[in-house]
């Protein structure tokens, strides 16, 4: 049994994601269809033959390390946001990032496989992965077995994306220019992320506040009214500005 007490895994790839900070990442994949990432395979796994046959699958299981919360360790019980942050459940009844083995599992959409000299990558969408996430495995998603129609949602029914999101003229033209330069649909991404209401539970009934979020390399400001979220300003991230989540009364 001794040789079964510890396992060492090497990352086979790294995620370059639209989510450059934790705030705003949806709770699960598939909720924000415009969320994209590149999964770059790392040597010695960046061999085309490792991916032979994968291109005929539409979706993949990606196993990864919750690297950003590693230093915080694990907890035997957690308070899931879906229970209002008040009731505790066991870590193994949750999808918490604070696990004894900090391994995450997400079904993502495979858009394409790309290769530029030594750089072999999978282009993904519908992701819930932070930029820089180390990936430890990739497997094809098999709907005949993995999609269980009668499965119950337990205490985590599908979240409602029910916030109306509006944009200022400055933001609309920023998004247009950004898409022309980078090919990224920042307008749709922002709209889908905010419609999920990424605010912490204790702020979800408040209005009249201004909030900040970073997607890709862009700082985004929006304020809340009882009915809508209005995105009033976008600017490229620069090193001097603070890109972390902030909130203040408007
Ligand atoms: N779908 C995965 C699972 O079930 O294992 C992840 C679920 S977890 C509840 C989703 C959250 O993990 C996201 O909202 C984000 O805040 C966080 N997250 C994503 N990538 C991460 C990383 N590399 N390190 C730490 N937290 C991460």
């Amino acid at each position: 049994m001794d040789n079964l007490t510890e396992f060492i895994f090497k990352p086979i790839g790294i995620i370059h994601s639209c989510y450059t900070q934790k705030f705003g990442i949806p709770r699960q994949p598939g909720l924000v269809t415009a969320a994209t990432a590149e999964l770059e395979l790392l040597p010695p796994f960046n061999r085309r033959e490792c991916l032979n046959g994968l291109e005929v699958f539409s979706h993949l299981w990606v196993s990864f390390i919750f690297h950003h919360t590693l230093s915080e360790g694990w907890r035997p019980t957690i308070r899931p946001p879906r229970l209002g942050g008040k009731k505790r459940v066991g870590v193994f009844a949750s999808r918490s990032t604070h696990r004894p083995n900090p391994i995450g599992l997400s079904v993502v959409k495979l858009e394409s496989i790309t290769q530029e000299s030594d750089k072999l990558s999978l282009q993904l969408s519908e992701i819930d992965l932070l930029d820089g996430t180390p990936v430890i495995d990739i497997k094809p998603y098999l709907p005949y077995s993995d999609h269980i129609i009668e499965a119950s949602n337990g205490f985590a029914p599908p979240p409602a994306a029910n916030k109306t999101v509006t944009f200022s003229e400055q933001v609309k033209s920023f998004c247009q220019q950004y898409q022309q330069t980078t090919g990224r649909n920042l307008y749709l991404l922002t709209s889908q992320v905010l419609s999920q209401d990424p605010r912490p539970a204790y702020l979800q009934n408040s209005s009249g506040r201004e909030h900040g979020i970073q997607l890709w390399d862009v700082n985004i400001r929006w304020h809340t009214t009882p009915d809508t979220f209005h995105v009033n300003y976008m600017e490229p991230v620069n090193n001097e500005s603070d890109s972390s989540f902030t909130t203040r009364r408007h």
Side-chain angles (χ1 to χ4, degrees), residues 15 17 19 21-29 61-70 72 81 94-99 102-108 127-134:
I15 291 287
S17 164
Y19 296 122
Q21 62 173 203
K22 248 185 103 213
F23 176 63
I25 306 182
R27 292 189 184 119
Q28 289 301 335
W61 288 107
V62 173
S63 310
F64 60 95
I65 302 295
F66 288 117
H67 76 299
H68 191 73
T69 43
L70 261 183
E72 295 162 18
S94 83
R95 306 287 282 252
S96 167
T97 62
H98 298 98
R99 321 187 67 76
I103 296 173
L105 190 59
S106 293
V107 177
V108 300
I127 54 126
D128 63 345
L129 307 167
L130 181 64
D131 192 47
T133 295

Side-chain angles (χ1 to χ4, degrees), residues 21-128:
Q21 62 173 203
K22 248 185 103 213
F23 176 63
I25 306 182
R27 292 189 184 119
Q28 289 301 335
L31 298 171
V32 172
T33 57
T36 57
E38 173 179 16
L39 193 177
E40 179 184 352
L41 291 176
L42 297 173
F45 313 105
N46 57 341
R47 296 161 61 154
R48 189 61 184 81
E49 69 204 88
C50 294
L51 301 179
N52 280 352
L54 194 68
E55 58 283 341
V56 297
F57 292 93
S58 62
H59 290 77
L60 311 174
W61 288 107
V62 173
S63 310
F64 60 95
I65 302 295
F66 288 117
H67 76 299
H68 191 73
T69 43
L70 261 183
S71 61
E72 295 162 18
W74 71 282
R75 292 158 203 162
T77 63
I78 56 108
R79 288 188 287 227
R82 305 310 302 284
L83 293 175
K86 288 182 186 129
K87 205 176 149 213
R88 285 190 173 273
V89 300
V91 62
F92 300 129
S94 83
R95 306 287 282 252
S96 167
T97 62
H98 298 98
R99 321 187 67 76
N101 295 309
I103 296 173
L105 190 59
S106 293
V107 177
V108 300
K109 187 167 179 200
L110 175 62
E111 298 287 349
S112 62
I113 296 174
T114 55
Q115 182 150 28
E116 279 170 40
S117 59
D118 271 359
K119 191 178 175 204
L120 179 60
S121 301
L122 308 181
Q123 305 300 330
L124 309 175
S125 65
E126 308 189 4
I127 54 126
D128 63 345

Side-chain angles (χ1 to χ4, degrees), residues 171-209:
V171 168
K172 285 182 194 164
S173 80
F174 184 97
C175 287
Q176 240 168 16
Q177 274 182 357
Y178 189 78
Q179 187 157 10
Q180 272 163 15
T181 324
T182 64
R184 297 168 180 162
N185 193 340
L186 183 62
Y187 184 88
L188 185 62
L189 177 64
T190 307
S191 166
Q192 290 186 353
V193 166
L194 296 190
S195 71
Q196 302 274 332
D197 195 350
R199 297 173 299 168
Y202 72 94
L203 283 179
Q204 289 198 345
N205 291 324
S206 70
S207 84
R209 283 174 189 263

